[in-house]
Amino acid sequence: MSAVLHPHDHAHDEHGHDDHHHAPTGWRRWVFATNHKDIGTLYLLFSFTMLVIGGILALIIRAELFQPGLQFVNPELFNQLTTMHGLIMVFGAIMPAFVGFANWMIPLQIGASDMAFARMNNFSFWLMIPAAATLVSSFFMPGGAPAAGWTLYAPLTLQMGPSMDAGIFALHILGASSIMGSINIIVTILNMRAPGMTLMKMPMFCWTWLITAYLLIAVMPVLAGAITMTLTDRHFGTSFFNPAAGGDPVMYQHIFWFFGHPEVYIMILPAFGIISHIVPAFARKKLFGYASMVYATSSIAILSFIVWAHHMFTTGMPVTGQLFFMYATMLIAVPTAVKIFNWIATMWQGSMTFETPMLFAVGFIFVFTMGGFTGLILAVAPIDIQLQDTYYVVAHFHYVLVAGSLYAMFAGFYYWCPKWTGVMYNERRGKIHFWWSLISFNVTFFPMHFLGLAGMPRRYADYPMQFADFNAVASVGAFFFGFAQIYFFFFIVLPAMMGKGEKASAKPWEAAEGLEWEVPSPAPFHTFETPPKLDITATRVIG
């Protein structure tokens, strides 16, 4: 049963607020923003900007790889591009976007008036601006940007120019921002739910973010430790990772991936939450197996801490270690498969319609599952030793991160956009964006599986003739995919932000459930100043 609001709870939405409740105007509204909706909007705009910057770097990479030989960039710059593309996309685009969704939706979904720590919320956003500027400006420092790969492996990091220090500084600031955001989300969810909303009646998006926030608090300090040790190796005479002075570069990999593997789930769990809202709404059925979804999400989070060394099968690990990490990695496929099964079971015999959010959700399930299967293949140590550092790995993680995280964000945008802006997006344009993105994505990344199987290593600016055809296809696909996102911004996002389009009702999707659909569209500046009264008999707020 959906959440039930008593009639008087709407009163504060429909009548005017007192003067001090009006939204501030002009630049002060954004610079001093403490409202969760404004901060959510800032995060989403920031992450899209970083997506464009990271995407431009990717297109320069693909332009260079369009044919054999060196066309546009030298190998040094090529390595800078691959490194910065990874860092910007992971820390600047994907993670902040999900924090933006969390800021917008969590208070609305749990019936809270705002996030727990409004000023800290403002601070954690504004920290990202100087960090991002520092990261991007490293291209213009002596010796160019960091070129050690986004994983920042020693001993390469010990040989880089001053831009490496700038990169380390930027990652520290971004990490601090993530930790503050996570504390805010945890306190908000645990302390500010509407009366009657127990944890097991909470929307799935809130559950996935609660677990993600704990993951962030656990692993961001580990990354901070690894890059601080790199910094002291560079400038303060330590030799943690410097083999010439008795250090161990493989130790860096262990520390990095102890952060890096949970990080992968940090970037996908909120996506699972978004899909768990959209599929029931457009299948017009309750989410199949709500409790098992919660337990599966928790299992993924716990298991993510014991699989890190599957990134390191080629470092000379003993066979016992290889077997442990191989089986642990295969085990993590089980709770992930539970989620896929539950979404399919939700759709089974549902009255499905395929508006754009549902298209992206179904596209997500299909393409993410492919990415999951290639991950399962890479979990097998003897196969991984052959495919390590080839384009097969590049294909695998782009299927998970682009077709996973990014598609889920698009689905979430189309689903909640009417609530955010008060207008419906253009359905026809949304469908063009979906098919354009889906086809061009697969044209780009599917051939990379074959390149990897044939042995083409990643992070190389040049390659022999036998890899030419698939690279040409991938490069063409990449440009089409990039232009699809520019189309999305100018023809879907901007008109919606400017209020152009059909007026949205409070509940534009008839079967959508949850408190966010009980407030008007667009959501008022202040919502739930008095907590909504939930129907205690409801089995849960969201299906």
Side-chain angles (χ1 to χ4, degrees), residues 231-253:
L231 192 69
T232 60
D233 272 12
R234 285 169 57 82
H235 298 294
F236 300 107
T238 58
S239 54
F240 293 112
F241 311 132
N242 181 3
D248 184 5
V250 176
M251 179 170 74
Y252 175 86
Q253 296 189 28

Side-chain angles (χ1 to χ4, degrees), residues 106-112 188-189 192-194 197 202-203 206 515:
I106 288 174
L108 284 179
Q109 290 189 331
I110 64 173
T188 304
I189 291 175
M192 298 178 68
R193 300 190 305 282
M197 185 185 285
M202 203 163 67
C206 298
L515 284 175

Side-chain angles (χ1 to χ4, degrees), residues 80-81 84 135-136 138-148 160 163-164:
Q80 294 171 31
L81 292 169
M84 295 301 290
L135 203 54
V136 175
S138 66
F139 274 110
F140 308 103
M141 295 176 187
M160 295 280 135
S163 64
M164 191 68 231

